[in-house]
Amino acid sequence: MILKLTRLYLKPNYIIGKLYVDGHFFCDTLERPDLNNQDEISCIPKGEYRVGWYDSPHFGRLLPQILNVPNREYILIHPANFVNELKGCVAVGKNDIVGGL
């Protein structure tokens, strides 16, 4: 399985993107802004990463985990509604807002 994240709207306080699985659109994404890879407040750097599974005590289930991010750990892919719910992870969901995010 190959996951691809594209970042479409890079705003001062958030990033909106799209997640593809094996080349097919899967869902929209939400990330924190690019703040030089600072732990818990920045998106991860652009690049290619392996993805594994993490049994999250917080979420009570297995979640995809982005591995080998420089100077970062526990970067998960999980549901969230607002950027302040993220600590550097990638939120997945449906974006009902169209246009000028």
Side-chain angles (χ1 to χ4, degrees):
M1 179 183 324
I2 297 174
L3 304 179
K4 180 179 180 180
L5 173 66
T6 60
R7 293 172 171 161
L8 302 175
Y9 301 102
L10 286 76
K11 301 297 182 176
N13 297 319
Y14 61 88
I15 298 171
I16 298 289
K18 294 193 176 291
L19 182 66
Y20 297 86
V21 177
D22 292 333
H24 300 282
F25 174 73
F26 182 73
C27 66
D28 294 304
T29 62
L30 174 67
E31 295 177 83
R32 287 195 169 255
D34 186 352
L35 298 172
N36 299 314
N37 197 32
Q38 294 180 67
D39 194 28
E40 297 193 0
I41 63 168
S42 177
C43 66
I44 63 172
K46 183 178 177 179
E48 292 188 13
Y49 302 98
R50 288 183 40 242
V51 175
W53 293 100
Y54 176 71
D55 192 3
S56 170
H58 178 78
F59 288 96
R61 62 181 171 186
L62 283 174
L63 293 173
Q65 178 181 5
I66 302 171
L67 304 172
N68 303 323
V69 177
N71 303 310
R72 304 279 290 278
E73 293 183 318
Y74 302 107
I75 305 299
L76 304 177
I77 299 174
H78 64 79
N81 294 311
F82 304 100
V83 74
N84 63 352
E85 297 174 301
L86 301 172
K87 292 186 176 180
C89 296
V90 177
V92 291
K94 182 180 178 189
N95 178 6
D96 288 326
I97 301 172
V98 178
L101 300 170

